[in-house]
Amino acid sequence: MTRIHQPESGIRATDLHRRMYRDMLLAREINDRMLILNRQGRAAFAVTGTGHEAAQVGSAHALKRGVDWVLPYYRDTGVMVVLGMSAEQIMLSLFAKADDPNSGGRQMPNHWSFPEQRVVTRSSVIGANLPHAAGIAYASKLRGLDEVAVVYFGEGATAQGDFHEALNFSAIHQLPVLFFCENNGYAISETSEKQMSVRHVAERARGYDIPASTVDGNDVLAVHQEMRWSVEEARRGHGPKLIEAKTYRLVPHTSSDDDRRYRPRAEVEEWARNDPIDRFRTRLIEAGTLADEEGEQWAAEVREEVDQAVDRAWAAADPAAESALRHVFREADGSP
């Protein structure tokens, strides 16, 4: 088993591993259920991170909740679970309900915003959150605050000018920001080979003299170890870093995508045999950290938790029609 440092909070490593595993189970169940709800006609659109759970959960557990700034991308269900967003809150977003904490039902699902945990709202524009992360880190450095900004994105975003501008600015000013790329090999339907001439996204950091690493994104402990060390280095003032987690999405790009048109089934099946949750469960059982029957019990509990979340979110109030123009035009009383 990949070894990690003792967590700063004092929690035992075995307890942390168990927490990670349960967070991965919950993220997967939420992901799977969102697609099912779409197919049932109850959700107009769904985008999930199925297969990315190790990269997301492992990295997010290295952060200081409520201290570090997080700019996730639309697949990051696992990141939000670790940061404390409940299954019900995520389903409120999926159903575009009034109490959706991300946007009050005004945005597409998985366009995250969670101010109490310093999760910065994102737009649908790919790569636009990278310069935002650099700006936040710049402000933290100017104020002398013990904060790190982390921005998540797919490898397709590295073809955008925003990526290069953010890395360049961060390198010049030695900012406490981590660029975390979840490289699943496809920018929607285009393979990495059609997007870039280098083999690894991490190689792109060389042009800005930024340290970079490539890690097995399906190994939650390897991700956590790399992220933990990188966050500590950024917090000490050693500047930015690019981390590339190699992973794979086991489902179509979104509920509107037919990935059979561009991905061979043999490739998907091969990656499914490398499922990050299956891998971690096997390692925990072999290490004596998790009993097989306990894992089954947790899976049942997670399904029940998501069942109840779906029921409550579905029954929640829709946004009031008269609120449709709120936050678009200044109102008569002068409020935004």
Side-chain angles (χ1 to χ4, degrees):
M1 178 180 291
T2 304
R3 298 189 179 277
I4 63 172
H5 302 296
Q6 187 73 6
E8 290 180 354
S9 63
I11 184 175
R12 293 188 305 166
T14 53
D15 292 338
L16 176 61
H17 296 171
R18 288 164 59 85
R19 184 178 298 176
M20 285 179 174
Y21 180 65
R22 199 179 192 287
D23 286 342
M24 291 171 69
L25 286 178
L26 180 56
R28 174 64 61 86
E29 185 64 30
I30 292 171
N31 284 329
D32 289 346
R33 195 66 60 89
M34 287 194 289
L35 279 179
I36 290 172
L37 290 164
N38 168 263
R39 296 300 188 253
Q40 290 175 340
R42 300 172 70 186
F45 179 78
V47 54
T48 78
T50 301
H52 286 228
E53 291 87 0
Q56 296 168 1
V57 170
S59 61
H61 267 289
L63 306 175
K64 289 184 178 180
R65 283 178 50 176
V67 174
D68 295 328
W69 296 88
V70 185
L71 295 89
Y73 94 122
Y74 48 77
R75 297 204 187 283
D76 284 331
T77 307
V79 172
M80 299 309 297
V81 165
V82 173
L83 295 180
M85 184 170 282
S86 69
E88 181 177 352
Q89 289 174 314
I90 294 173
M91 292 302 168
L92 286 169
S93 173
L94 181 72
F95 296 143
K97 296 294 185 173
D99 289 335
D100 160 33
N102 297 282
S103 71
R106 296 170 181 274
Q107 248 293 15
M108 290 192 296
N110 294 31
H111 283 54
W112 313 106
S113 176
F114 204 31
E116 55 264 47
Q117 293 300 332
R118 293 194 162 185
V119 175
V120 181
T121 186
R122 64 163 292 124
S123 75
S124 298
V125 179
I126 300 300
N129 54 341
L130 279 82
H132 298 165
I136 291 169
Y138 190 41
S140 297
K141 182 174 181 177
L142 289 176
R143 294 169 180 169
L145 301 176
D146 187 30
E147 304 169 350
V148 172
V150 181
V151 57
Y152 291 84
F153 51 96
E155 82 285 352
T158 69
Q160 301 287 346
D162 293 303
F163 169 81
H164 298 279
E165 292 176 16
L167 263 65
N168 186 55
F169 186 83
S170 299
I172 291 170
H173 296 284
Q174 285 294 286
L175 301 180
V177 56
L178 295 174
F179 299 94
F180 193 90
C181 177
E182 298 173 42
N183 185 351
N184 62 29
Y186 287 88
I188 305 182
S189 60
E190 294 297 325
T191 63
S192 296
E193 290 76 14
K194 293 182 178 180
Q195 303 170 52
M196 57 189 186
S197 59
V198 294
R199 183 178 180 184
H200 304 293
V201 166
E203 296 177 41
R204 291 187 151 175
R206 293 178 183 174
Y208 307 100
D209 197 25
I210 289 177
S213 61
T214 298
V215 64
D216 181 355
N218 281 13
D219 183 340
V220 64
L221 297 184
V223 172
H224 180 76
Q225 178 172 292
E226 181 63 28
M227 187 69 166
R228 168 99 187 271
W229 181 86
S230 301
V231 169
E232 290 172 353
E233 288 294 288
R235 209 180 301 281
R236 292 190 186 107
H238 293 173
K241 183 174 182 179
L242 170 63
I243 300 175
E244 175 188 18
K246 290 290 187 72
T247 185
Y248 194 83
R249 57 173 166 82
L250 298 173
V251 293
H253 174 69
T254 68
S255 57
S256 302
D257 175 42
D258 182 2
D259 66 329
R260 295 171 299 179
R261 301 179 62 182
Y262 58 87
R263 295 202 303 188
R265 292 302 90 187
E267 177 184 293
V268 178
E269 292 167 3
E270 177 64 27
W271 275 95
R273 288 191 285 271
N274 190 34
D275 187 303
I277 295 179
D278 293 341
R279 281 179 61 180
F280 195 33
R281 179 174 59 248
T282 298
R283 293 165 71 175
L284 292 178
I285 292 173
E286 290 176 349
T289 304
L290 180 74
D292 192 30
E293 59 273 15
E294 190 174 29
E296 295 176 0
Q297 177 185 347
W298 283 5
E301 291 173 355
V302 162
R303 285 193 294 272
E304 178 62 23
E305 180 179 344
V306 175
D307 283 343
Q308 294 180 11
V310 170
D311 290 343
R312 289 193 295 266
W314 183 254
D318 294 320
E322 56 270 22
S323 72
L325 297 182
R326 288 295 309 275
H327 313 299
V328 178
F329 300 103
R330 179 173 291 274
E331 298 186 0
D333 61 1
S335 61

